[in-house]
Amino acid sequence: MMKYSTTNDRVTTFGPVEANAREQLDRCLAVSGDDARGVLCADHHKGYGMPIGGVIASKDVVMPAGVGYDIACGNCAVKTNVQADDVDVSRVMDEVWQVISFGMGRNNDERIDAHPVFDGILASSIKEQRLMLQLARNQLGTVGSGNHYVDLFRDRADGALWVGVHFGARGFGHKTACGFLALAENKDWDARVADHMDAVPTTIPIHSPLGQDYLEAMCIAGEYAYAGRNWVVDRVMRIVGATETLRVHNHHNFAWFEPGPDGERWLVVRKGATPAYPGQCGFIGASMGEDAVIVEGVKHPDARAAFYSTVHGAGRVMGRRQAAGVTKIRKRWVCGQRDCDGTLPSGVSGIAGANPRCPTCDSK
């Protein structure tokens, strides 16, 4: 574990430091209290308000922009009792695409009438969250778009099949975040709040009524995200006909009260950073179709200084803008039929070397 030197003792960084991400972190620290601490994980890069791969620990404020719009975005991976080589990947991924809803605003075609997370939403002390119950019902078990995915993995040690997913609290979390960002600026819940990447993040005092309401609402959205990932993984296992032997489940966009290096109680905001306390396992997924890893937190002075936080991606060679125009290093499945431009739908992947059904011409 290599720690690079920093300009002050409030920040711990890993790997070469991106100047614009460090500037963002410093802006976050400036509004988070005199004792606030910051961390840049090894895969950090510039984000909205707070760097991705960044951590802010404060005793005074919570930063909704630090948690982000995709509240409790995270990964869930389940090791199954079947061997990857025994799975008809094309059939499984065809059915995944038919059964699981991908994309912005999509609803789940398999109605989930009862779930404990719905009871939690109904019990929310925040009226606006209670009014989003139907949205939550509709979207529970949907994956979303962008870098969110369902994937299958082969265990390098024993060949077992793993099912992995990556997404967060969907529209329910996004509307919760937007509402509190508006309230924090003394606007109505539904008001639009202008934001940009270099804005000074809005903070809310932890012990204020609004701060307590946000933390409650964030936790409810977090429970919703975990419920959604569990449902999707379980549904894919039903498609495979497998049962689980191990489940690893973690967030990387959230805020928790945790003991800091000094033993005191801190509110730790992680944005694109995986919690990794000694003995705690985490699933760190890469891009669709690429390697992922299971990690375990260790007891180490650098880990403690980082508030036991680590990367949320399996590696990052360059920024997205830097990569523009450069030969692709990500593998994307393209249909081999003449005159067909079909590609694998966003969010669906499979074991490398598999030949899925083309969504455009229906060929294999």
Side-chain angles (χ1 to χ4, degrees), residues 16-259:
V17 176
E18 292 192 8
N20 52 14
R22 177 57 195 266
E23 289 170 2
Q24 280 192 321
L25 191 74
D26 287 342
R27 281 195 291 270
C28 293
L29 284 171
V31 295
S32 298
D34 294 339
D35 295 329
R37 307 283 181 84
V39 179
L40 288 175
C41 297
D43 62 345
H44 70 268
H45 54 284
K46 188 175 182 179
Y48 275 91
M50 179 172 164
I52 310 300
V55 180
I56 290 288
S58 174
K59 298 177 183 178
D60 303 315
V61 301
V62 62
M63 186 181 297
V67 174
Y69 293 104
D70 199 5
I71 295 176
C73 184
N75 300 95
C76 181
V78 169
K79 186 176 185 179
T80 73
N81 65 330
V82 304
Q83 290 290 293
D85 291 342
D86 295 335
V87 175
D88 183 343
V89 177
S90 297
R91 179 196 67 78
V92 170
M93 298 314 291
D94 282 348
E95 191 167 347
V96 166
W97 178 246
Q98 294 168 4
V99 172
I100 307 296
S101 295
F102 297 85
M104 292 184 62
R106 293 291 302 277
N107 294 330
N108 190 345
D109 292 333
E110 294 191 12
R111 185 174 178 83
I112 305 172
D113 291 319
H115 194 288
V117 75
F118 299 148
D119 298 333
I121 294 171
L122 276 175
S124 174
S125 63
I126 294 88
K127 176 188 67 176
E128 291 82 2
Q129 267 199 324
R130 298 196 300 272
L131 294 175
M132 290 191 286
L133 177 62
Q134 191 57 51
L135 169 68
R137 287 184 182 276
N138 292 344
Q139 288 196 332
L140 185 67
T142 65
V143 175
S145 59
N147 65 346
H148 296 158
Y149 60 76
V150 172
D151 215 342
L152 302 179
F153 303 91
R154 179 188 291 108
D155 195 305
R156 288 181 177 176
D158 58 15
L161 180 79
W162 286 74
V163 178
V165 301
H166 170 219
F167 60 94
R170 305 289 286 112
F172 180 78
H174 189 276
K175 288 181 179 294
T176 297
C178 289
F180 275 95
L181 284 169
L183 294 176
E185 293 191 6
N186 297 314
K187 299 180 179 180
D188 293 336
W189 175 275
D190 293 324
R192 289 182 61 88
V193 177
D195 65 346
H196 57 86
M197 296 185 78
D198 295 321
V200 176
T202 300
T203 59
I204 306 173
I206 292 173
H207 299 294
S208 68
L210 184 61
Q212 291 297 299
D213 282 348
Y214 172 75
L215 291 173
E216 178 188 346
M218 180 198 68
C219 287
I220 291 171
E223 294 291 342
Y224 182 78
Y226 272 72
R229 289 192 291 269
N230 280 326
W231 188 91
V232 171
V233 168
D234 291 345
R235 187 65 182 86
V236 175
M237 282 198 296
R238 284 171 53 195
I239 293 172
V240 174
T243 58
E244 79 174 75
T245 61
L246 174 67
R247 184 171 300 230
V248 179
H249 200 168
N250 54 268
H251 59 274
H252 45 241
N253 286 11
F254 210 63
W256 289 96
F257 283 106
E258 303 174 15

